[in-house]
Structure formats: C-alpha cells, structure tokens
Amino acid sequence: MKVINYDALQTDSFVYSAPKKHENRYYVLLHSKDGEDEESLPQKVFFQTPKMKVKLPNVDDYVDCVCDQDTWKDFVQSMDKHMRDVIKTNSEEWFGEGKHIDDTFLDVGQTPSLMSNGVCRFKMAHDLDIYNQEKEEINMEDIEQGQEVKGIAQLVGLWFTKTRWGLTYKMYQMKMYKTKQKAVRGYMFPEDPEDQPEDTDMHDLRPPPGIE
C-alpha cells in the first residue's frame, strides 16, 4: 500500500469506475494509475493527513477532525472543486446520453467535505487501527476531545442520491499524540518576610466584658 502526503496527490493520475447502484444511491470508486506504466493496475488512493484535533462524540461510524492549517483546507476544497468538474465532464458517459448533471445540482446538491465549522468528516474503516506515539495499539475510547492525531486516509470516491452528492474520505489508521500537560513544579519562590501571616492572637488580649 502506497501512502503519500496529502499535498502530493496528483489528480491527473485519478481514474474512476463506472457508477454502480447500491440501495438508493449510486457510487463511483476512485483509484490512481501510474501514467508512465501502462501495465500497472489502478491502486487505491491513500494519503497522510496533517495533525488534526478530534471532535467528540463520534457520529455513527464517522470521526470528525479539525485542522487549522490553510494548506489542508485548500486541499479539501480543491478536491471538491476537482470532483465537481469530473462529474460535469463525465455525467453523460456515466449515467447515459441525455442525463447531463446540471450546475444547479452540482452547486446546491453538494455536501462539502469541509463543513462551515472547519470539520472534515471521515468514515471509519471497520478495522480502523489507532496507535499512540509508542506504536502501541489503543482504542477509540482512549482518545479525548481535542486530542491531536494524524491519519492515514483513503480517498474512496463519489456518492450520489437524487438530491445530493459528495466525496468520501475513509480513515484507516490514526496516530494519537500525547496531550501537552502543564508541568507540575510546586512553589518555587524563596521565603519572603512580607508573606508571613499576621499574628491575630493580640486581638484576643483584652479585658473580659464589664471590666474596663
């Protein structure tokens, strides 16, 4: 399995399967092919994400992640734009003559991969592996809100319903980074005379009531 950094993906190497119907939707699988080797078989597209923060709780079998890096946001949005162009170019070939997908469906029906709150939603692989920095396998329950992770994700392909379309990212592996904790050093200042508490016993040194 070849894994490259997300910003090194080349869209001109992408190839697409013919649409297939499953239940109430169509899907198009995405692969990558080495243009220099005509005999090479198309491969699934895997890439490494930048560091992201996990947002909990999970929604069904998805994991939501946020990354503030502009390069990541640009990447996700550019993938959506590229897929829009691919659909527009191939719609009649995919769905039949006269079944051209118009701009209204492409614009209004799009489910953006990057939500308005900056979240990118990943489908979790059924055998998702999660590791800590010691390369020990851990569980999803070990990850806390806002935990930093990197992921190995797959650019799976496109899905279509009667009114919506979108691009699916699938998370295959996650690497959890330790949460930075505040160092506990204890009180480090030297003794200071001004810090000595006032002796209040002197306020009790007075005559009893009725005695002047």
Side-chain angles (χ1 to χ4, degrees), residues 129-175:
D129 297 320
I130 308 175
Y131 300 92
N132 59 23
Q133 285 181 277
E134 286 71 42
K135 300 181 181 179
E136 300 167 332
E137 195 162 354
I138 60 174
N139 299 315
M140 192 69 193
E141 292 74 21
D142 297 319
I143 296 181
E144 300 175 353
Q145 172 77 342
Q147 193 96 44
E148 284 191 327
V149 299
K150 280 187 178 180
I152 302 298
Q154 179 192 358
L155 200 56
V156 184
L158 297 160
W159 55 264
F160 302 88
T161 67
K162 290 183 179 180
T163 58
R164 309 290 296 179
W165 72 273
L167 175 62
T168 295
Y169 294 86
K170 185 188 289 187
M171 189 70 77
Y172 269 84
Q173 288 193 359
M174 295 172 67
K175 177 182 178 181

